Amino acid sequence: MTAPEERYTVISADCHAGADLLDYKPYLGPGTTTRSDAWAATYVNPYEDLLADTADRNWNSDRRIAELERDGIVAEVVFPNTIPPFFPSASLMAPAPSREEFEQRWAGLRAHNRWLADFCAAAPGRRAGVFQILLNDVDEAVKEIRWAAGAGLKGGLLLPGTPPGSGLP
C-alpha cells in the first residue's frame, strides 16, 4: 500500500519586484511626469540584472506567476527591486534625500507604491506587497501608510531619511 501524497503550501517571503523605469510614469502625480522624462533620459542603470533579458520577471505578472508555479510556490511577499523615479539607485540602497531631493523622491516612491498595488491586484491572494515611505514629512508618511493599507498592501519599509525636528538637511 502506498502512503498518501503529502502536499505543502509554499509562500516565498523574499521576492522582489518593481516596474520598468518608464512604466512608473502613469503613477506619477501631476507636474512630475516631465521631470521624470528628463531624469529617465539621463539615468544609467548600474544593475546588470535589471538590464538582462530576464529583467522583465520584475514586472511581468504572467511570467512571474508561471515561474513561481514551476517552482511550486503559490504566493509571495514582494519587496522593492527596481529603481523608482528620481532615485540615484534602488531605493533600499540610495542615500537619504536632501531637502531639495525629497519632493521628487517622495513622488517616485508613491509611484512605486501605486504600481505595486496594481501588480498585487493582478494576482489576488497571491502577492503581499511591501510599500515604502520616508519620514521627512511625517504627515505625508502617515497618509501614505493609510493609503497603502487601503490599497491592499501588507507591510512597509521605512527608508533612510532625515528625522523630523533634527535640524539636519
Side-chain angles (χ1 to χ4, degrees):
M1 185 162 133
T2 314
E5 184 178 319
E6 290 189 50
R7 301 194 90 178
Y8 297 92
T9 299
V10 179
I11 299 172
S12 174
D14 191 24
C15 289
H16 298 81
D20 194 8
L21 191 61
L22 298 176
D23 290 343
Y24 283 121
K25 191 172 179 176
Y27 297 96
L28 289 166
T32 56
T33 55
T34 303
R35 287 181 284 173
S36 174
D37 288 342
W39 171 81
T42 61
Y43 183 77
V44 177
N45 193 328
Y47 304 107
E48 287 183 31
D49 63 322
L50 294 177
L51 298 172
D53 292 340
T54 57
D56 76 321
R57 69 175 40 140
N58 282 287
W59 54 82
N60 182 328
S61 184
D62 294 335
R63 175 184 181 168
R64 191 175 186 96
I65 291 291
E67 289 181 2
L68 288 171
E69 287 177 351
R70 244 189 336 270
D71 291 340
I73 299 171
V74 298
E76 61 181 330
V77 177
V78 183
F79 292 90
N81 193 44
T82 60
I83 292 83
F86 310 116
F87 273 71
S89 62
S91 58
L92 299 177
M93 308 300 272
S98 67
R99 282 193 177 143
E100 295 76 27
E101 297 168 324
F102 172 71
E103 183 180 321
Q104 287 187 331
R105 293 254 197 111
W106 185 239
L109 280 186
R110 291 180 74 232
H112 171 81
N113 292 342
R114 278 136 190 81
W115 174 89
L116 181 62
D118 284 350
F119 185 71
C120 291
R126 299 188 73 175
R127 292 186 178 130
V130 178
F131 62 89
Q132 302 171 82
I133 61 165
L134 292 163
L135 268 188
N136 298 60
D137 184 322
V138 175
D139 292 337
E140 286 301 311
V142 170
K143 285 181 196 174
E144 188 68 5
I145 292 166
R146 288 184 175 136
W147 174 87
L153 298 177
K154 303 299 182 191
L157 292 171
L158 172 60
L159 298 180
T162 303
S166 68
L168 298 173

